[in-house]
């Protein structure tokens, strides 16, 4: 009888550990997504305000990928209300979510700061 109870407890602990691991992974993924969106907003703001390095010939601007530069330009063309909606869409789009998760391998810093600090 005690062996059966111990076996059931062990199974429940294994399920619990798996659930906790999955929740932590999801939380890490969401944090990575938040950092990627924050970096994107920072680049958009810097470009809009023409912060040194973000003009057409700027090193920080050129350090970004062509796709990211286009996304920033398109984002900055939106009205303020549309920008919030665009960020919400980016957060939900699977391709952006995959991109943000991909950035977790050290490339997020490059997105946040460009290749130049």
């Amino acid at each position: 009888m005690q062996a059966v109870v111990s076996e059931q407890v062990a199974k429940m602990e294994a399920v619990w550990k798996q659930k906790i691991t999955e929740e932590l992974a999801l939380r890490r993924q969401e944090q990575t997504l938040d950092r990627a969106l924050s970096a994107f907003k920072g680049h958009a703001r810097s470009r809009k305000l023409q912060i040194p390095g973000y003009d057409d010939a700027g090193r920080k601007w050129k350090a970004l990928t062509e796709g990211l530069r286009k996304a920033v330009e398109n984002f900055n063309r939106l009205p303020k209300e549309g920008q919030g909606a665009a960020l919400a869409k980016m957060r939900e789009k699977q391709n952006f979510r995959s991109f943000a998760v991909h950035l977790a391998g050290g490339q997020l810093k490059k997105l946040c700061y460009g290749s130049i600090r």
Side-chain angles (χ1 to χ4, degrees):
M1 177 73 168
Q2 189 172 359
V4 172
V5 170
S6 294
E7 186 178 316
Q8 290 295 328
V9 168
K11 286 180 183 179
M12 290 174 66
E13 284 177 348
V15 168
W16 180 76
K17 285 179 183 178
Q18 182 179 354
K19 183 177 179 180
I20 294 296
T21 301
E22 290 170 0
E23 286 177 7
L24 286 173
L26 182 61
R27 212 173 288 152
R28 275 189 229 109
Q29 188 179 33
E30 292 298 320
Q31 288 172 343
T32 300
L33 181 59
D34 290 341
R35 287 193 307 268
L37 284 171
S38 179
F40 177 82
K41 289 189 296 187
H43 288 304
R45 186 175 31 257
S46 295
R47 176 69 174 172
K48 188 171 196 144
L49 297 174
Q50 291 294 303
I51 301 293
Y54 279 91
D55 59 343
D56 289 339
R59 290 176 52 189
K60 291 179 181 179
W61 182 246
K62 286 183 174 182
L64 302 176
T65 65
E66 180 66 27
L68 188 53
R69 288 193 302 260
K70 284 180 183 179
V72 165
E73 293 288 10
N74 291 336
F75 179 81
N76 281 341
R77 285 188 198 106
L78 296 172
K80 193 83 167 161
E81 311 80 47
Q83 289 179 353
L87 289 171
K89 279 185 184 178
M90 287 171 72
R91 188 175 215 355
E92 296 306 316
K93 278 192 173 182
Q94 187 58 42
N95 59 348
F96 185 79
R97 293 177 71 79
S98 298
F99 171 70
V101 170
H102 172 70
L103 292 173
Q107 293 182 7
L108 183 60
K109 285 183 182 174
K110 187 174 181 183
L111 172 67
C112 292
Y113 305 111
S115 59
I116 299 162
R117 281 199 160 175

